[in-house]
Amino acid sequence: MTAQGAALPRRTAPAGGPGGRPAGASGVVSQLLLALVCGGYATGAAFGWGSPDLAKTMGDFGLSGAAVLAAVSCFWYARTRTTRFRPAWLLFAVSSGMAGFGNAVWGWYEVVLRERVPTTSPADFAFLLFAPPAIIGLLVLARRPVTRAGWVCLALDSWLIGGSLLTLSWSLALAHTAHFADETVAHAALSLAYPLLDIVLVSMVLALHFRRSSANRSAVNTAIAALALTVLCDALFTSPLLRENYRSGQILDAGWFAGYMLMAYAPWVTRQQERASGASGTASRQAQPSSGRPIAGSLAALTPYLAAAVCTLGILYNVLDGHHVDRVVLFTGCTVVLALVVRQGIMLLDNISLTQELAQTENHFRSLVQGSSDVIMIAAPTGVLRYVSPAAAGVYGRAAEDLVGSELASLIHPEDLGRVVHEVRRFLAAPPADEPTTRIECRFRSGDGDWLNVESTVKRHHGGLIFNSRDVTERVRLQAQLQHTAEHDPLTDLPNRSLFTKRVQQALAGRRVTDPGTAVLFIDLDGFKAVNDTVGHQAGDELLVQAARRLQESVRAGDSTARFGGDEFAALIIGDGTRDPSAREYRIMEIADRLRLTLSQPYVVEGGTEVRVAASIGVAFAEPGITPGTLMRNADLAMYRAKQAGKGRVELYRPHLQDEVVRRAERTTRWRTALNDGEFALLHQPVVELATGRVTAVAAQARWRSPQGILFPPEEFLPGTDPDRGDESGRTAELGRWTLEKALEQAERRRAAGHAVPVYVRLSAARLVDRALPAKHFESLLLRHGMPAGGLVLELTGVDSRVPLDELERRLASLRRFGVRIALDGFGSGHAAMSALRRLPVDVLRLDRDLVDGVADSVRLRKITAGLLRIAGDLGMQSVAEGVDDAEQARALRAMGCTHAQGLAFSGPLDEHRLRQALGRGPFPVPGGPLDGDGGPAPAGPLPSPANRLPGGGKRVLLGGPVPVNVLLPSALRAGGAGALAHAPLRSNSETPIPPT
């Protein structure tokens, strides 16, 4: 198809099968073999076989063998093949078997007994039984009519052929046969039975030849030819002249032999034809029947008239020969004429009905075509439009008359024309049975000059094409919109992760695949969550839109940007071909730093509010052989490295970052294995009342026991977690759940042993408001372990602006109804703690460790701490100082009004056995308290040697931690021994060398 016209290519069938071998080679060999056998038999019959005895043997038993072979062949085919014509081949097997039996009986008399065959013998009955099965078999092979008129016409056609043949045969020979005066009635009837059955068989052969089924056409034709040849030989045999001079082994037997051999070959023609057609292609299969159908239809229409002509010849023969018209001829001729008249009347009525139906169908389809919203066009082989339906005016904006005669190629968009021509040529070259239709989508010129998206279903039509076209412009636009929506972020309209990944893949697979200057930048906005929490989500969305605009304006036209969700963005920077690695790195880092500065500028959001966020950027270069997933992962790792290093900075990916990820994953796996295998231990540190030294509570602390027996605190295996990293926060939550359940379980056991002291369990505020930990969970735990009111004190940590105080307040109020007391941890560490104190229902204030560390040395810290403690006292709350590690801190805090303390000044974290021992010994000595000797300060200094006994019988007992604490037994206390509390030099509490329990 060109601009001048579309030439539709002609399809030609292949000349041979695979490898150049003819497709029907096996069929040709079979046919040649059959021709040689039949020709050899005919040659022998023509020359008398060399001797009378051999001629009789070949004429009798040779025919019998051929007939038996046909019977076996038809029976075996019907037995081994599943086909709807199976009964026909079984009947042909029976018919051939009867012929074989008759010839065998004939040979028994002539060859074996050497007698003349009797006038009436079993062979005659066998030959008479040859025709009925064959006639029924032909009826099975025929294509059955679908209407009553069709059945009537089939019967009339059969009688027209049979009656005409009977008329002609009776005039020529049968009348003479029927008037043999010296023959018996049985012999005369037998003599007439042969030709009459042959006439019926010939009638069926001729009538069914034009009505045979289209299936197994070659096999049916061969079977009809075999029966026709057999009937022809029977007709010649019934002629008085030939019958009187007939001898076995003559040339007439060659016709019967050929008929039987054709019948033996007939069922297997279908299989050979299937092989040939499979090798030659579908085109040749469809071309053969189409060429023969017009001729077959013409002969079928002329059959009644030919039969009437034959009947007329029979009557004219009697008249011209001077004989009077026989009554049989007259009766038969009248019935044939009457059948012809009836048949013509039926055909006339049928044609009238068909004409009316055709007119109705034509009007129906004309209405469908003209009323259809689709445009139907018929194009000639040259590409010129022959017909265009009226719907073109509504679809194309052009009248159908204006389009008729125009070239189809001139109406298609030039960019789509080549693709359309290629598809049309491919479609026409494909076999019609395999691909009856195809679909083509292109742009079509409308009446106002615009281009419409048109989808067409194309079919073949008399060498041309039929186009059923519809306007799909809106659908194409919708698809483009859906595609854009699927690949772009709905808020910022930047490409999403999917489209960005495709572009990275294209960049790595394109012409710059060897250019390592290509880089991916991962960008995260630091502090964006705080904007959402303080200003609102609408302001956060405006910030993201502005950040996306800044990002897009800061890169080149060939680069790509994307938003991955939340506050994460990405950029693909295409390399410029620079070969110097340092120059490439400098250029990309300069671009990344410029992006960081641009994104960190203030944003003016809803209501004129100015907000600020920083940008952490990770950079990864495309190395040779790297995959898109690996490149994007490297940039992601570099971005998280930038956040861990302080945020608001640019980090370049280095291979060791991946090693850190592997180590973190191994640490997580090892941590989970330790938790599942029971490698965690729960220690408790006493909380001492500073006024009396009595243990009023214990604080639960989790430890991880190493294979060497060293217990590591959470700071060692759970480093400072980033709330953006779900793996660390998930591990913290899992450890907190284990600590809570284990602490309540051990508290229940201590109560049963007579040590009913409350237990402190540390829990983060974010974890407490998490919906995965509902209040019902605490209630079920308290009920399960029988905890009394006040038996559980939750240490609330991590109260900052990221935690919604309203939700936290509701959750704490619910827990207090269950008897849970609340302790606010880190009091005095910042504005968040003061806000929490103002809003939350708190029972206990725990002073921040930074205040406790300097309270004995700094006057300023002492005043701040004293003020905070006065606030706690005014609110009626208890106060707990955490990290009281020496006597000076304990004495100063007690003097300021602190009610409780926890630290190495009294005891380190204890396992369950040592904790019960400490609870059973009574109160701890407190510096400046009633147990501190005469009320003076306790002596401070190094402890005596571990081998020494304490004065008054006291023993040094290791209660926990690296610091041994001296505890005086009650007898020593009554004796007033000195040295109630002394300390060794303090050291880090990162390791607790307590033997495994």
Side-chain angles (χ1 to χ4, degrees):
M1 186 181 296
T2 60
Q4 291 76 25
L8 306 183
R10 301 287 183 181
R11 208 170 22 86
T12 58
R21 179 183 176 185
S26 59
V28 172
V29 172
S30 302
Q31 294 171 6
L32 288 177
L33 182 61
L34 179 64
L36 288 175
V37 172
C38 295
Y41 190 95
T43 302
F47 292 98
W49 297 102
S51 68
D53 292 338
L54 181 59
K56 290 181 179 181
T57 302
M58 296 301 298
D60 295 335
F61 291 110
L63 292 181
S64 178
V68 171
L69 178 62
V72 172
S73 176
C74 293
F75 178 78
W76 182 256
Y77 181 82
R79 179 76 179 276
T80 57
R81 297 293 185 274
T82 301
T83 173
R84 65 186 182 93
F85 296 133
R86 182 180 180 185
W89 295 112
L90 289 175
L91 290 169
F92 290 152
V94 173
S95 177
S96 300
M98 290 295 101
F101 178 73
N103 283 290
V105 172
W106 198 285
W108 175 263
Y109 282 104
E110 284 191 340
V111 178
V112 178
L113 301 180
R114 294 184 179 276
E115 297 178 359
R116 184 179 179 83
V117 180
T119 304
T120 303
S121 66
D124 294 320
F125 296 100
F127 290 142
L128 288 176
L129 292 177
F130 166 79
I135 294 172
I136 299 174
L138 288 174
L139 288 175
V140 174
L141 290 177
R143 184 175 66 249
R144 299 178 182 178
V146 295
T147 61
R148 294 181 179 179
W151 284 105
V152 174
C153 288
L154 176 61
L156 292 175
D157 289 345
S158 301
W159 173 242
L160 285 172
I161 297 173
S164 60
L165 293 176
L166 178 61
T167 302
L168 185 60
S169 302
W170 190 273
S171 301
L172 295 177
L174 294 183
H176 176 72
T177 303
H179 290 86
F180 284 159
D182 55 346
E183 293 184 353
T184 63
V185 176
H187 185 270
L190 187 62
S191 300
L192 290 175
Y194 280 115
L196 290 178
L197 287 175
D198 288 341
I199 288 173
V200 174
L201 189 57
V202 170
S203 302
M204 294 303 302
V205 167
L206 293 177
L208 298 177
H209 176 68
F210 303 110
R211 292 179 177 269
R212 65 190 185 276
S213 175
S214 59
N216 299 339
R217 185 178 297 273
S218 298
V220 174
N221 287 339
T222 306
I224 291 176
L227 293 175
L229 184 57
T230 304
V231 170
L232 177 62
C233 294
D234 288 344
L236 294 175
F237 177 75
T238 57
S239 173
L241 180 60
L242 291 179
R243 187 168 186 177
E244 291 177 358
N245 299 324
Y246 172 75
R247 297 291 184 273
S248 296
Q250 292 180 350
I251 192 63
L252 187 60
D253 291 345
W256 279 313
F257 183 84
Y260 298 147
M261 294 302 294
L262 280 176
M263 182 59 72
Y265 175 70
W268 308 100
V269 175
T270 302
R271 187 177 180 184
Q272 295 173 359
Q273 186 190 25
E274 289 175 355
R275 293 177 179 175
S277 60
S280 60
T282 310
S284 61
R285 290 202 306 267
Q286 297 189 353
Q288 292 173 359
S290 62
S291 61
R293 282 173 188 160
I295 300 176
S298 301
L299 292 178
L302 292 176
T303 299
Y305 305 101
L306 293 176
V310 171
C311 184
T312 303
L313 288 177
I315 297 175
L316 290 177
Y317 174 80
N318 283 274
V319 174
L320 295 177
D321 197 29
H323 299 90
H324 68 279
V325 179
D326 192 277
R327 284 177 295 179
V328 175
V329 174
L330 182 61
F331 176 78
T332 306
C334 291
T335 55
V336 168
V337 173
L338 180 62
L340 180 60
V341 173
V342 173
R343 188 186 187 282
Q344 288 302 107
I346 294 175
M347 293 300 297
L348 179 61
L349 294 176
D350 194 23
N351 287 337
I352 293 174
S353 176
L354 289 176
T355 302
Q356 294 176 351
E357 183 179 354
L358 180 62
Q360 293 177 358
T361 304
E362 184 179 357
N363 292 332
H364 175 70
F365 281 102
R366 182 181 292 108
S367 300
L368 288 178
V369 171
Q370 294 181 353
S372 174
S373 59
D374 294 348
V375 181
I376 299 176
M377 302 182 296
I378 300 179
T382 58
V384 177
L385 294 177
R386 292 177 176 175
Y387 172 80
V388 180
S389 66
V395 176
Y396 298 149
R398 304 177 65 177
E401 296 78 8
D402 297 340
L403 292 175
V404 174
S406 59
E407 294 180 354
L408 186 61
S410 62
L411 304 175
I412 299 176
H413 196 282
E415 296 179 1
D416 300 338
L417 183 58
R419 176 172 51 84
V420 173
V421 171
H422 174 76
E423 176 61 20
V424 168
R425 292 184 178 275
R426 185 203 63 77
F427 170 66
L428 293 175
D434 296 342
E435 192 173 1
T437 62
T438 188
R439 297 177 65 183
I440 296 176
E441 187 170 331
C442 63
R443 284 168 289 181
F444 201 88
R445 187 187 301 276
S446 64
D448 54 4
D450 294 335
W451 294 102
L452 303 176
N453 293 95
V454 176
E455 181 186 65
S456 302
T457 301
V458 185
K459 298 182 179 179
R460 300 171 179 85
H461 175 69
H462 298 301
L465 294 173
I466 296 179
F467 292 84
N468 190 354
S469 306
R470 64 196 62 86
D471 183 9
V472 293
T473 303
E474 291 300 325
R475 191 194 71 185
V476 171
R477 290 175 182 172
L478 180 59
Q479 288 178 346
Q481 182 180 356
L482 292 176
Q483 182 72 16
H484 181 85
T485 303
E487 294 182 341
H488 289 76
D489 175 58
L491 178 63
T492 63
D493 203 38
L494 290 180
N496 57 14
R497 182 185 295 269
S498 175
L499 181 57
F500 186 78
T501 303
K502 292 179 182 178
R503 292 183 177 178
V504 172
Q505 186 173 8
Q506 293 172 359
L508 298 183
R511 61 184 180 87
R512 297 184 180 272
V513 63
T514 58
D515 181 13
T518 299
V520 170
L521 279 61
F522 262 44
I523 306 164
D524 185 86
L525 300 181
D526 304 321
F528 174 74
K529 189 176 185 303
V531 175
N532 274 338
D533 295 338
T534 56
V535 189
H537 289 275
Q538 180 64 32
D541 291 344
E542 292 185 15
L543 187 150
L544 291 175
V545 172
Q546 296 180 32
R549 188 182 304 116
R550 295 182 185 182
L551 178 62
Q552 204 165 15
E553 293 173 353
S554 301
V555 299
R556 299 170 305 178
D559 300 332
S560 299
T561 58
R563 181 192 176 209
F564 285 180
D567 58 348
E568 289 189 351
F569 295 87
L572 172 65
I573 309 299
I574 303 299
D576 58 357
T578 304
R579 296 298 178 184
D580 184 7
S582 59
R584 290 196 304 265
E585 181 175 332
Y586 176 79
R587 183 182 70 89
I588 295 297
M589 295 300 288
E590 184 182 19
I591 293 175
D593 194 62
R594 186 173 68 249
L595 286 177
R596 181 187 64 81
L597 294 176
T598 301
L599 296 175
S600 300
Q601 296 297 319
Y603 296 85
V604 179
V605 294
E606 183 181 12
T609 305
E610 182 178 289
V611 295
R612 289 178 178 270
V613 293
S616 296
I617 301 178
V619 180
F621 282 98
E623 302 296 335
I626 196 171
T627 62
T630 303
L631 178 59
M632 296 170 64
R633 183 205 62 191
N634 293 345
D636 191 19
L637 292 176
M639 185 266 290
Y640 277 112
R641 178 66 175 176
K643 294 177 70 68
Q644 292 174 354
K647 302 182 180 180
R649 54 187 297 137
V650 178
E651 285 288 340
L652 181 63
Y653 171 79
R654 302 297 183 188
H656 70 82
L657 296 181
Q658 181 63 27
D659 298 337
E660 292 181 2
V661 173
V662 173
R663 285 195 299 270
R664 186 164 56 247
E666 292 177 350
R667 183 174 60 193
T668 301
T669 303
R670 188 169 66 251
W671 181 87
R672 294 190 183 279
T673 303
L675 187 61
N676 295 331
D677 294 347
E679 297 181 9
F680 276 84
L682 189 64
L683 305 181
H684 293 82
Q685 190 171 22
V687 177
V688 179
E689 186 179 19
L690 289 178
T692 63
R694 181 172 56 89
V695 178
T696 60
V698 291
Q701 299 178 6
R703 294 291 187 269
W704 183 9
R705 181 183 293 112
S706 69
Q708 295 76 23
I710 300 177
L711 298 179
F712 292 95
E715 293 79 8
E716 294 294 326
F717 54 85
L718 284 179
T721 60
D722 186 347
D724 294 330
R725 298 196 68 89
D727 53 351
E728 302 288 357
S729 59
R731 288 161 55 190
T732 304
E734 191 170 354
L735 180 62
R737 182 171 57 253
W738 178 87
T739 302
L740 177 62
E741 295 180 358
K742 196 71 173 178
L744 294 180
E745 178 184 345
Q746 294 186 7
E748 180 183 8
R749 295 177 183 174
R750 284 195 299 273
R751 261 195 334 275
H755 304 291
V757 291
V759 59
Y760 281 70
V761 177
R762 182 166 296 182
L763 195 66
S764 68
R767 176 63 177 162
L768 193 59
V769 298
D770 189 358
R771 294 183 179 180
L773 189 65
K776 292 289 185 181
H777 178 70
F778 288 95
E779 181 181 6
S780 62
L781 285 177
L782 295 174
L783 292 176
R784 185 195 313 164
H785 298 290
M787 292 296 294
L792 174 63
V793 182
L794 288 181
E795 295 184 32
L796 196 60
T797 64
V799 180
D800 54 24
S801 59
R802 293 174 298 184
V803 179
L805 291 182
D806 294 338
E807 178 66 23
L808 183 59
E809 183 179 3
R810 287 193 295 269
R811 179 60 61 88
L812 293 179
S814 175
L815 291 176
R816 291 190 70 185
R817 287 195 294 269
F818 298 146
V820 178
R821 300 175 65 200
I822 308 300
L824 182 61
D825 190 43
F827 184 66
S829 60
H831 178 269
M834 299 301 294
S835 300
L837 179 62
R838 181 174 60 87
R839 296 279 303 275
L840 303 179
V842 178
D843 301 299
V844 180
L845 292 179
R846 295 177 61 88
L847 292 178
D848 186 71
R849 192 183 186 95
D850 293 337
L851 297 176
V852 176
D853 286 342
V855 73
D857 303 325
S858 173
V859 177
R860 181 183 295 273
L861 278 181
R862 191 179 300 118
K863 291 182 179 181
I864 294 174
T865 305
L868 295 176
L869 290 173
R870 281 196 300 271
I871 294 175
D874 294 341
L875 295 176
M877 300 180 184
Q878 293 182 357
S879 55
V880 178
E882 184 181 1
V884 181
D885 294 336
D886 55 45
E888 292 298 331
Q889 292 174 342
R891 185 179 296 107
L893 289 169
R894 182 175 181 273
M896 294 177 191
C898 184
T899 59
H900 295 77
Q902 170 188 341
L904 297 179
F906 306 99
S907 173
L910 305 174
D911 59 15
E912 187 65 22
H913 176 69
R914 291 179 174 85
L915 176 62
R916 293 189 182 184
Q917 287 181 351
L919 292 176
R921 291 190 182 98
F924 286 91
V926 180
L931 297 181
D932 189 16
D934 5 346
L943 289 171
S945 172
N948 296 336
R949 304 282 297 177
L950 292 176
K955 295 185 296 181
R956 186 187 313 121
V957 181
L958 183 63
L959 293 181
V963 182
V965 179
N966 298 319
V967 178
L968 301 180
L969 297 178
S971 59
L973 293 175
R974 287 191 298 268
L981 182 63
H983 298 280
L986 296 176
R987 55 179 176 170
S988 172
N989 194 28
S990 62
E991 295 182 359
T992 308
I994 298 178
T997 58

